[in-house]
Each structure stands twice: as C-alpha cells, then as structure tokens.
C-alpha cells in the first residue's frame, strides 16, 4: 500500500456511508472462538472490532486509514493501529480469532495462519471475480478467483464453513462473494 491508498481510503471513509452492523458470517461464527485476542484486518470504521469487543475480545483493529483509526480511539477493548500491510508483520501464535472482510492481500494468507493460536478461528469474506458482477472492486487483483480462498487455506486449516454465492446490494446490483471459516489445527 502507499500514501495514495491511504488518501483514497481516508476520502472514502469521510465521504461515503459505511455499514455499521457486522456481517452475518461474523455474527454466526465469532462466538466459536475462544474469548481472548482478536484481530480485525483492514478494519475500516470498525463495525467488526466493536462487535468483537462487545463479545469480550481484546481487539487489535488494523487499517491504513488514519480516519478509520481515529474513529476507533477510546473504545474499550479495541486497540486501533494504523498500518501499511505491505510492510506490517502479524504477531505469530497470538490471536484466537482473525477477521478479514472485503479486503484481499494474498501475501497475508500465510501470516494469518501463523498469527492464529492452535484452534484459533479465521473468518474471511470478500469478492470473487465473475464477468457478471455488477459491483465489486474494478481491479481484478483485489478479487479472488473461484475456489481460490478454499485452496489457499485447505490443508493448512480445518475448513469449518465455505461458500461462494451471489448477493445483491440495496440497489439490486449483484456480486459474487466467498465466505470461509477455518480453524487452525
């Protein structure tokens, strides 16, 4: 990432309505993790960080946006940290739960596994490339290929749940997404 990325995300968080409720995948599976330390990768404005803190987790909320990180200051049990994921390294064997939603940096996949404690849970959801997508990131490198998320973690973790599916936003625009819950063994 770069200063251009930071500027772009700061502008987005300042000027666009951002969802503030956690996604169903997180609310359905976060409670399966041991209460302890959680990591919210590319946390944005912190909808998942806040939710995890309400469940009793100590949450490291990481994002490149200074606007996002500033919005999470002084929230009990949430530890906002401004990072550049191109150079930041996750702490090994530290987290009971890691969440990453609508962010894709394939180079983080091995770090995520290493950062989980044994029996730790990884919850991951993001967009999948499909020519029929109406709404999704325009840069294909920010989109998974079909089956890619499962392939990246299968054999390294126990896949608890996996689905690739179509969804529609409030305007009726459709996009393909992949959802996964995996446990480190």
């Amino acid at each position: 990432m770069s200063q251009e990325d930071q500027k772009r995300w700061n502008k987005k968080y300042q000027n666009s309505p951002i969802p503030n409720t956690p996604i169903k995948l997180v609310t359905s599976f976060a409670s399966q993790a041991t209460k302890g330390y959680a990591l919210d990768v590319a946390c944005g404005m912190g909808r998942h960080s806040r939710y995890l803190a309400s469940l009793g987790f100590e949450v490291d909320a990481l994002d490149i946006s200074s606007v996002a990180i500033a919005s999470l200051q002084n929230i009990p049990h949430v530890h906002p940290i401004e990072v550049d994921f191109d150079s930041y390294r996750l702490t090994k064997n530290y987290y009971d739960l890691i969440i990453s939603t609508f962010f894709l940096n394939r180079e983080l996949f091995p770090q995520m596994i290493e950062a989980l404690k044994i029996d730790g849970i990884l919850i991951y959801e993001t967009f999948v490339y499909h020519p029929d997508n109406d709404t999704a990131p325009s840069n294909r490198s920010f989109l998974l290929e079909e089956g890619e998320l499962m392939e990246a973690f299968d054999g390294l973790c126990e896949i608890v749940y996996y689905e690739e599916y179509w969804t529609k936003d409030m305007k009726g625009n459709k996009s393909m997404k992949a959802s996964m819950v995996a446990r480190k063994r």
Side-chain angles (χ1 to χ4, degrees):
M1 299 237 178
S2 64
Q3 287 186 338
E4 292 82 34
D5 290 325
Q6 184 182 48
K7 287 177 186 176
R8 181 172 48 88
W9 284 106
N10 283 344
K11 183 178 179 180
K12 179 178 179 172
Y13 293 137
Q14 289 170 331
N15 299 322
S16 300
I18 304 296
N20 60 7
T21 57
I23 64 170
K24 184 178 179 188
L25 187 70
V26 172
T27 60
S28 297
F29 288 96
S31 63
Q32 291 188 15
T34 301
K35 298 298 181 288
Y37 293 97
L39 173 63
D40 188 358
V41 175
C43 65
M45 298 300 282
R47 62 180 166 163
H48 296 120
S49 297
R50 295 167 202 265
Y51 176 73
L52 295 176
S54 77
L55 295 179
F57 287 95
E58 288 294 323
V59 183
D60 287 344
L62 308 181
D63 204 281
I64 195 168
S65 169
S66 55
V67 170
I69 293 305
S71 76
L72 295 171
Q73 297 298 322
N74 303 314
I75 297 174
H77 308 289
V78 175
H79 313 283
I81 306 166
E82 186 177 325
V83 302
D84 180 341
F85 287 109
D86 288 342
S87 58
Y88 187 81
R89 295 291 168 246
L90 303 179
T91 304
K92 293 182 180 182
N93 300 310
Y94 188 75
Y95 295 103
D96 300 288
L97 175 63
I98 297 176
I99 292 179
S100 182
T101 59
F102 309 112
F103 173 77
L104 181 59
N105 180 336
R106 292 166 177 87
E107 293 178 14
L108 286 179
F109 289 175
Q111 284 191 58
M112 288 178 177
I113 294 169
E114 290 176 353
L116 282 171
K117 294 178 182 176
I118 296 297
D119 290 327
I121 299 282
L122 171 65
I123 298 174
Y124 207 118
E125 182 169 289
T126 197
F127 296 100
V128 175
Y129 171 77
H130 194 282
D132 295 335
N133 280 344
D134 293 327
T135 180
S138 58
N139 183 337
R140 186 149 177 190
S141 66
F142 297 141
L143 298 166
L144 292 165
E145 296 298 323
E146 291 184 48
E148 180 182 2
L149 189 61
M150 168 81 88
E151 187 178 307
F153 290 94
D154 194 26
L156 301 172
C157 295
E158 171 192 352
I159 306 299
V160 175
Y161 172 84
Y162 188 83
E163 180 181 20
E164 291 184 10
Y165 64 98
W166 286 98
T167 185
K168 289 186 178 181
D169 65 16
M170 292 183 291
K171 296 178 182 177
N173 296 314
K174 68 180 187 245
S175 59
M176 182 179 269
K177 295 179 183 173
S179 297
M180 182 189 73
V181 179
R183 182 182 304 273
K184 182 177 178 178
R185 293 294 185 189

